[in-house]
Amino acid sequence: MSQTASVPQGLPMERDAGPFDPPSQITRLREAHPVSPMVFPDGHEGWLVTGYEAVRQVMADTRFSNRQDVGVIHVPYETPGVPAAAEPSPQTPGLFISMDPPDHTRLRRKLTGAFTVKRMKQLEEGIVAITEQQLDELAKLSPPVDLVKQFALPVPSLVICELLGVPYEDRETFQSNSSKFMERDITLEDKMAAIGAMFGYLTELVTGKRATPGDDILSDLARDDDLTIEELSGMAFLLLLAGHETTANMLALGTFALLEHPAQLTELRANPSLMPDAVEELMRYLSVADIFYRYATEDIELGGETIPAGSTVVVSLLAANRDPHKFEHPDALDVHRKVRGQVAFGHGIHQCLGQQLARIEMRAAFEGLLRRFPTLALAVEAREVKLRTNMHIYGVHELPVTWA
């Protein structure tokens, strides 16, 4: 192994240059060594991949496995929903994000018809209606209000609940538990308690749908006798979590970013047709789901380095999306930018299944928010906004806003 970039306190996660920028240590590593050896806090050696091309190569190469039990060392802050273990552990049924083909292929294929671009466009009118309804509720409130609680979280939660067939009145149950195990410094006992509560709730839900299916995605899956109840619960867990966590944080953090870039906000208000490009740019610029893990199944050449079999490989999507070799002036937010190839949704066979749904939600939410609240502004100083630096998905815990 070549000269090692030691990270004694764990992966550099603090966006220390500003609330929207990559950790400065990761930026320096990308410039010097896009594929860099590193030391984990427990002393074992692995690799940190920060360059755009190298990140895409890792995400696309199935020799880099998603299965924790492939790695020599298990990282204690790994895949949400999969507890760390000192020895190889069995796969969690249905949680295809942590699987490789053919298991991953079999389960993901069950959902491809549910998330096609065509079907998402058919749902767009309903998503816009949900957004407008939530904006109506927001307008009834007296500012200042917390935009996370009153808008950014309810919109994707309502959408995914309707799509999956999850009762929205149960939102506090799944939101509190999903938030709990998304914390970085949670104890294994607390994480397992949150996971157990989620799986208990979802097992009961999908069992009911198998007995009496409705008109929703989980009912469609429940009709498939090839899937066990355990697999249905795992798939429901993944879809429910991914369906509201990332989009909610993008809506809140994206609004914060626009308010902190008033020239860009003014241009977007003046020309709403820029919204599709602006959404793509905000995803590139913010990359709320940043760090992902892979495990080398054999010796693999990457960026001039040899990654030994069994190595833990960490990729930073945020660093890749800010790579100047791919994006001109990458640290600037530019709503006019024609973004092509941003990796906020990942890349390869594990690329986000619901990315078209997320795009439609963000376009509707940002467009509606800017149109309905032309004087929207932060109600506190920017430095007082509570950032989600303690969570696996970046964003803000609260976004106090006001309007005239």
Side-chain angles (χ1 to χ4, degrees):
M1 193 176 271
S2 57
Q3 184 180 4
T4 302
S6 178
V7 188
Q9 300 301 321
L11 288 168
M13 299 301 298
E14 292 292 332
R15 303 196 181 198
D16 47 359
F20 315 116
D21 295 319
S24 56
Q25 188 175 359
I26 279 187
T27 299
R28 289 194 298 270
L29 282 174
R30 186 191 61 219
E31 292 169 356
H33 303 287
V35 179
S36 177
M38 64 173 285
V39 174
F40 287 92
D42 64 0
H44 87 274
E45 296 180 332
W47 297 83
L48 176 60
V49 183
T50 51
Y52 177 84
E53 291 299 336
V55 165
R56 284 195 24 126
Q57 183 178 335
V58 171
M59 302 294 275
D61 191 335
T62 54
R63 294 177 299 169
F64 289 105
S65 172
N66 259 37
R67 293 185 56 165
Q68 279 184 294
D69 54 351
V70 170
V72 173
I73 300 291
H74 295 281
V75 183
Y77 32 81
E78 185 29 290
T79 310
V82 183
E87 298 295 335
S89 54
Q91 296 283 280
T92 303
L95 211 68
F96 56 88
I97 193 174
S98 59
M99 296 178 181
D100 295 335
D103 297 325
H104 169 269
T105 310
R106 178 180 76 88
L107 293 176
R108 182 166 171 131
R109 191 174 287 154
K110 304 284 187 184
L111 285 163
T112 50
F115 287 94
T116 60
V117 175
K118 181 179 179 181
R119 182 167 184 184
M120 290 303 104
K121 286 192 176 296
Q122 291 171 344
L123 292 170
E124 188 165 2
E125 185 176 333
I127 291 170
V128 170
I130 286 173
T131 303
E132 291 298 322
Q133 180 183 5
Q134 204 59 40
L135 288 166
D136 288 342
E137 295 301 313
L138 185 62
K140 295 175 184 177
L141 302 175
S142 298
V145 302
D146 174 15
L147 197 72
V148 174
K149 181 180 179 181
Q150 303 297 341
F151 183 70
L153 186 56
V155 168
S157 295
L158 281 161
V159 170
I160 201 64
C161 282
E162 185 170 310
L163 198 60
L164 296 182
V166 176
Y168 184 62
E169 56 268 26
D170 295 345
R171 65 191 180 280
E172 288 191 10
T173 299
F174 69 75
Q175 283 174 358
S176 62
N177 284 309
S178 65
S179 178
K180 176 61 68 176
F181 77 78
M182 290 303 287
E183 292 180 22
R184 292 191 183 280
D185 299 324
I186 187 176
T187 65
L188 181 59
E189 182 181 7
D190 286 345
K191 174 177 275 194
M192 294 308 295
I195 293 170
M198 281 280 283
F199 271 85
Y201 167 75
L202 291 170
T203 296
E204 184 177 345
L205 183 69
V206 298
T207 300
K209 289 184 180 297
R210 176 151 280 180
T212 312
D215 183 20
D216 54 74
I217 288 177
L218 291 186
S219 292
D220 291 345
L221 291 171
R223 291 186 180 96
D224 189 337
D225 293 332
D226 183 45
L227 294 170
T228 66
I229 289 295
E230 291 76 19
E231 287 176 324
L232 285 169
S233 300
M235 295 172 80
F237 173 88
L238 189 57
L239 293 171
L240 186 59
L241 174 70
H244 80 274
E245 275 283 349
T246 49
T247 306
N249 283 291
M250 268 302 305
L251 291 179
L253 190 65
T255 301
F256 183 23
L258 289 171
L259 291 174
E260 285 296 285
H261 292 79
Q264 298 294 309
L265 179 58
T266 298
E267 292 191 44
L268 194 53
R269 287 191 196 280
N271 188 359
S273 66
L274 291 172
M275 188 58 73
D277 288 333
V279 165
E280 213 70 22
E281 169 70 346
L282 283 166
M283 287 189 292
R284 179 201 69 82
Y285 184 69
L286 299 172
S287 300
V288 295
D290 177 17
I291 296 295
F292 288 83
Y293 293 80
R294 295 291 187 268
Y295 306 96
T297 58
E298 59 184 78
D299 291 356
I300 304 171
E301 294 297 318
L302 180 70
E305 301 280 1
T306 299
I307 311 296
S311 294
T312 300
V313 180
V314 185
V315 297
S316 170
L317 302 187
L318 175 60
N321 275 334
R322 294 292 191 94
D323 191 338
H325 293 290
K326 172 63 179 178
F327 302 102
E328 188 175 358
H329 306 302
D331 293 328
L333 176 64
D334 181 3
V335 296
H336 292 277
R337 192 192 301 268
K338 301 292 183 183
V339 179
R340 296 292 180 268
Q342 58 89 3
V343 290
F345 288 120
H347 182 62
I349 63 170
H350 291 283
Q351 191 173 33
C352 177
L353 191 63
Q355 60 181 289
Q356 299 305 332
L357 175 65
R359 286 184 170 101
I360 290 169
E361 289 180 78
M362 283 188 276
R363 290 169 190 169
F366 284 128
E367 188 279 327
L369 188 65
L370 300 189
R371 169 174 43 82
R372 296 281 296 272
F373 297 88
T375 58
L376 190 72
L378 287 179
V380 296
E381 295 291 326
R383 64 178 181 274
E384 296 176 31
V385 174
K386 298 176 182 177
L387 302 171
R388 284 169 53 105
T389 53
N390 62 327
M391 310 293 280
H392 284 284
I393 304 294
Y394 188 62
V396 296
H397 286 291
E398 299 172 358
L399 190 69
V401 295
T402 187
W403 56 88

